[in-house]
């Protein structure tokens, strides 16, 4: 390998722009810790000027994560750059990422600025950011639809002003791989000072080509890829980290470049992102989907048994998918639990282990074999949701062929206990009606789905809901061996996320 590609992860910033995917600060910190373990080079922690919540999350991450670069996004205004710097200044390696659009469509209709004005803004922003840190990235938003020579001119000016990375985004996912690769080559050969900066790419997946475009760009000389775990992000999402990394890892002869990613952390990170955001990974998703290593056809199974290389281009262990997923039972002790959680990427304090241990024992009493997925749920629900406003204390449901389904529910609302009862068309409807009454929510349930987390009839049911209130969207997730309890947990999780969004209003997204 003669070259290194910088992996810039934007799951916490662009990924969080997926509808309903908002995360609170504790969740972002947990994810950031995992990203560090995964080995990303740069972590874009958020857009500090967007909201108080974003600012808090970015500064908490900058205070805690010391092994990798932490970036904060800013438009080209001084206020945004001040806010970004304030949030990231405690990081060991802070990076200010400033951007402005460079396509004629964006400049004419959105910014209402001339080309010269845009260059001036870019230069001023980079210079200003440079007064705080050496490490400044400049992005030409909608770069793939920009005039090529103008794009090179903007990059040249940004580098001249001190940008150490210049980023070429395919903001609307419009590019085609050959075209994007040739654009990258053009930029490499027509930006006179390009050797003084790293050329980065940032692709969206509107045509399903984000990974292909990113790989084409790396082949053409780009040396930073901006990606998200599971490819989550605005609209159809961003380039998926795991796809780019595994494509490079699996085909080193084609593009001889390396990344610093610990591939065995890919699957645990993917699970964590899905658990925290509530966004389910589609089963046929490359690398991390449930079916990615499942061989259904008889001919394939036969071949795999004779030699896995017949139909498997990657080993499941390489991405951290352990073959032996059976973990603990009710006789397992605290030490075994702690060690196993460590293997899964959870380095918990004694107090947290104790909390998880109690829940684990409760589950092991109901379920013979406790699997990795079960432990992840216990950790997510038991540790990351401790700041929730609404918490389920107790619920009881009666339903059957001849009775009207009825639920009685006890909740803690900001530590105040409330209880109530209600009817419904089915047991879940009865529980939801009761919770809605107790929480006085004005939200609307847009989607409800349930699936089994693992195999077997004693598996935990995993419920995902999508809620909307006054234009705010939130996903909620809950799991439990009892699917009615899982449904209640998911609803309450969604309501907590809505409360979080209400108390952390977005103040600035213009220009994103
Ligand atoms: O898609 C985009 O253009 C962006 C920029 C802010 C880099 O997310
Ligand atoms: Zn983007």
């Amino acid at each position: 390998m003669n070259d290194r590609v910088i992996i810039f992860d934007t799951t916490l910033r662009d990924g969080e722009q997926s509808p309903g995917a908002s995360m609170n600060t504790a969740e972002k910190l947990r994810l950031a810790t995992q990203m560090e373990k995964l080995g990303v080079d740069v972590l874009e922690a958020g857009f500090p000027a967007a909201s108080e919540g974003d600012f808090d999350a970015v500064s908490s991450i900058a205070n805690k994560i010391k092994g990798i670069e932490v970036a904060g996004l800013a438009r080209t205004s001084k206020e945004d750059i001040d806010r970004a710097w304030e949030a990231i200044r405690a990081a060991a390696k802070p990076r200010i990422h400033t951007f402005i659009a460079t396509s004629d469509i964006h400049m004419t209709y959105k910014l209402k600025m001339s080309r010269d004005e845009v260059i001036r803004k870019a230069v001023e922003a980079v210079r200003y950011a440079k007064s705080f840190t050496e490490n400044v990235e400049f992005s030409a938003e909608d770069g793939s639809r920009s005039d090529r020579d103008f794009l090179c001119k903007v990059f040249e000016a940004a580098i001249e002003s001190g940008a150490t990375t210049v980023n070429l985004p395919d903001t609307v996912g419009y590019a085609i791989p050959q075209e994007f690769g040739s654009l990258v080559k053009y930029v490499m050969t027509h930006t006179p000072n390009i050797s003084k900066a790293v050329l980065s790419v940032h692709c969206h997946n509107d045509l399903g080509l984000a990974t292909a475009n990113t790989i084409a760009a790396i082949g053409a000389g780009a040396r930073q890829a901006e990606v998200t775990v599971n490819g989550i992000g605005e609209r159809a999402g961003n380039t998926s980290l795991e796809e780019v990394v595994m494509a490079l890892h699996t085909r080193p002869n084609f593009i001889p470049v390396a990344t610093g990613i610990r591939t065995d952390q890919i699957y645990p990170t993917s699970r964590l992102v899905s658990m925290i955001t509530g966004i389910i990974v589609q089963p046929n998703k490359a690398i991390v989907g449930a079916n990615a290593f499942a061989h259904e056809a008889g001919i394939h199974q036969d071949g795999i048994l004779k030699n896995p290389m017949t139909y498997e281009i990657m080993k499941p262990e390489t991405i951290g998918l352990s073959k032996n997923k059976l973990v603990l039972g009710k006789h397992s002790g605290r030490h075994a639990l702690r060690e196993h959680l460590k293997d899964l990427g959870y380095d918990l304090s004694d107090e947290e282990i104790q909390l998880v241990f109690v829940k684990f024992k409760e589950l092991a009493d109901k379920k013979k074999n406790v699997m990795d997925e079960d432990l992840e749920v216990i950790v997510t629900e038991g540790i990351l949701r401790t700041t929730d406003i609404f918490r389920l204390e107790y619920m009881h449901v009666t339903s059957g062929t001849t009775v009207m389904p009825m639920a009685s529910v006890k909740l803690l609302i900001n530590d105040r206990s409330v209880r109530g009862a209600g009817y419904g068309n089915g047991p879940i409807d009865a529980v939801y009606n009761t919770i809605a009454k107790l929480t006085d929510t004005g939200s609307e349930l847009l989607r409800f789905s349930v699936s089994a987390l693992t195999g077997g009839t004693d598996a935990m049911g995993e419920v995902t809901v999508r809620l909307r209130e006054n234009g705010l969207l939130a996903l909620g997730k809950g799991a439990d061996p009892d699917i009615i309890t899982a449904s209640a947990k998911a609803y309450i999780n969604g309501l907590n996320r809505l409360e979080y969004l209400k108390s952390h209003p977005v103040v600035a997204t213009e220009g994103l």
Side-chain angles (χ1 to χ4, degrees):
M1 297 279 171
N2 50 13
D3 239 333
R4 175 87 149 72
V5 171
I6 296 165
I7 298 294
F8 175 114
D9 182 275
T10 183
T11 308
L12 294 174
R13 199 275 298 169
D14 226 346
E16 206 205 14
Q17 286 174 223
S18 309
S22 61
M23 301 169 234
N24 64 33
T25 299
E27 291 169 332
K28 285 188 178 174
L29 261 176
R30 170 72 198 106
L31 254 185
T33 308
Q34 179 58 27
M35 295 297 182
E36 187 176 25
K37 188 160 185 198
L38 175 66
V40 306
D41 299 285
V42 189
L43 177 71
E44 186 162 56
F47 176 25
S51 71
E52 285 297 327
D54 246 40
F55 181 87
D56 289 346
V58 177
S59 54
S60 308
I61 290 169
N63 274 295
K64 180 163 180 218
I65 303 296
K66 299 294 178 190
I68 55 178
E69 288 184 32
V70 175
L73 184 68
R75 288 165 294 189
T76 47
S77 70
K78 280 194 165 176
E79 297 74 33
D80 268 33
I81 294 170
D82 285 337
R83 202 79 181 125
W85 177 244
E86 198 51 43
I88 60 167
R89 61 186 307 162
K93 299 178 207 159
R95 176 185 292 202
I96 296 176
H97 177 193
T98 184
F99 74 99
I100 191 164
T102 53
S103 67
D104 287 332
I105 303 175
H106 277 231
M107 289 188 293
T108 309
Y109 298 104
K110 188 181 82 177
L111 299 176
K112 302 190 192 325
M113 281 185 195
S114 67
R115 289 185 174 191
D116 285 347
E117 280 172 305
V118 164
I119 293 201
R120 192 171 44 75
K121 288 287 277 180
V123 164
E124 277 171 14
V126 172
R127 281 200 189 130
Y128 190 57
K130 202 74 184 175
S131 68
F132 298 114
T133 171
E134 258 310 297
N135 193 358
V136 175
E137 171 167 340
F138 169 77
S139 279
E141 193 194 8
D142 207 18
S144 60
R145 293 194 300 168
S146 303
D147 176 85
R148 288 181 164 208
D149 292 316
F150 178 61
L151 182 64
C152 295
K153 226 171 127 182
V154 180
F155 281 163
E156 183 185 356
I159 296 168
E160 180 67 34
S161 313
T164 41
T165 302
V166 284
N167 180 39
L168 165 45
D170 182 26
T171 303
V172 290
Y174 182 70
I176 300 291
Q178 292 88 330
E179 176 196 31
F180 198 58
S182 102
L183 177 59
V184 166
K185 254 204 186 103
Y186 193 86
V187 169
M188 296 289 292
T189 46
H190 290 77
T191 309
N193 50 4
I194 194 73
S195 62
K196 293 192 186 146
V198 172
L199 179 59
S200 165
V201 288
H202 172 117
C203 298
H204 280 266
N205 204 29
D206 299 66
L207 293 173
L209 293 170
T211 299
N213 284 330
T214 302
I215 295 291
I218 294 170
R223 283 296 174 265
Q224 175 175 287
E226 301 201 351
V227 292
T228 62
V229 173
N230 297 341
I232 65 169
E234 187 87 33
R235 307 181 308 280
N238 288 56
T239 306
S240 115
L241 178 147
E242 60 277 9
E243 291 175 14
V244 169
V245 169
M246 289 312 290
L248 296 176
H249 184 89
T250 309
R251 304 298 307 276
N253 294 341
F254 190 64
I255 310 178
V257 292
T259 70
I261 295 294
R262 282 185 55 192
T263 60
D264 64 346
Q265 290 300 314
I266 286 179
Y267 187 69
T269 314
S270 159
R271 284 289 312 159
L272 187 66
V273 168
S274 176
M275 289 296 307
I276 287 182
T277 59
I279 299 176
I280 299 167
V281 175
Q282 77 198 55
N284 58 325
K285 165 85 179 59
I287 321 292
V288 291
N291 296 346
F293 291 91
H295 300 274
E296 189 73 17
I299 295 179
H300 289 205
Q301 288 174 352
D302 180 53
I304 288 279
L305 287 173
K306 287 176 176 148
N307 185 339
M309 273 163 63
T310 50
Y311 288 100
E312 238 168 42
I313 59 163
M314 297 167 272
K315 291 198 180 90
E317 305 87 272
T318 310
I319 63 151
L321 237 178
S322 59
K323 276 201 176 126
N324 183 5
K325 297 233 277 178
L326 177 68
V327 284
L328 305 163
K330 70 179 191 185
H331 301 298
S332 306
R334 199 167 298 157
H335 180 69
L337 177 70
R338 180 194 292 276
E339 287 309 303
H340 197 78
L341 286 169
K342 256 196 204 149
D343 284 348
L344 288 178
Y346 299 100
D347 227 341
L348 304 182
S349 67
D350 289 347
E351 204 182 317
E352 290 169 333
I353 288 283
Q354 180 53 25
L355 234 152
V356 173
F357 189 65
V358 171
K359 299 263 176 211
F360 158 69
K361 283 287 173 183
E362 277 169 23
L363 183 64
D365 274 340
K366 295 185 197 162
K367 193 172 184 282
K368 193 162 160 251
N369 298 320
V370 178
M371 321 286 270
D372 291 355
E373 289 87 341
D374 300 323
L375 289 179
E376 282 171 349
V377 167
I378 294 177
V379 174
T380 313
E381 293 190 349
I383 308 232
L384 298 175
R385 294 187 187 163
T386 45
T387 52
D388 285 355
I389 291 178
F390 306 120
R391 273 187 270 169
L392 181 65
E393 275 257 287
Y394 155 95
M395 67 173 243
H396 177 84
V397 180
T398 44
S399 91
T401 48
T402 53
V403 287
M404 175 98 171
M406 203 218 58
S408 65
V409 177
K410 192 168 155 199
L411 293 183
L412 280 179
I413 303 184
N414 280 329
D415 294 329
R416 183 175 53 88
S417 188
V418 293
R419 66 173 78 214
Y423 292 96
N425 284 330
I428 294 172
D429 193 37
V431 170
Y432 277 33
N433 288 340
T434 311
I435 293 174
K437 221 166 30 187
L438 289 174
T439 55
D440 199 21
T441 179
S443 64
E444 185 190 350
L445 178 67
L446 299 181
R447 198 185 71 198
F448 173 94
S449 68
V450 58
S451 60
L453 198 55
T454 56
T457 49
D458 66 348
M460 289 229 232
E462 187 177 40
V463 174
T464 307
V465 296
R466 193 184 180 92
L467 304 177
R468 182 172 56 199
E469 185 174 357
N470 292 331
L472 298 175
L473 268 183
L475 292 170
K477 220 167 175 177
D480 197 274
D482 175 328
I483 59 162
I484 302 171
T485 307
S487 306
K489 285 182 178 174
Y491 190 29
I492 292 169
N493 179 233
L495 292 174
N496 278 311
R497 286 178 187 269
L498 276 178
E499 288 308 308
Y500 180 82
L501 289 174
K502 283 187 224 165
S503 60
H504 293 82
V506 171
V507 292
T509 49
E510 204 184 302
L512 263 188

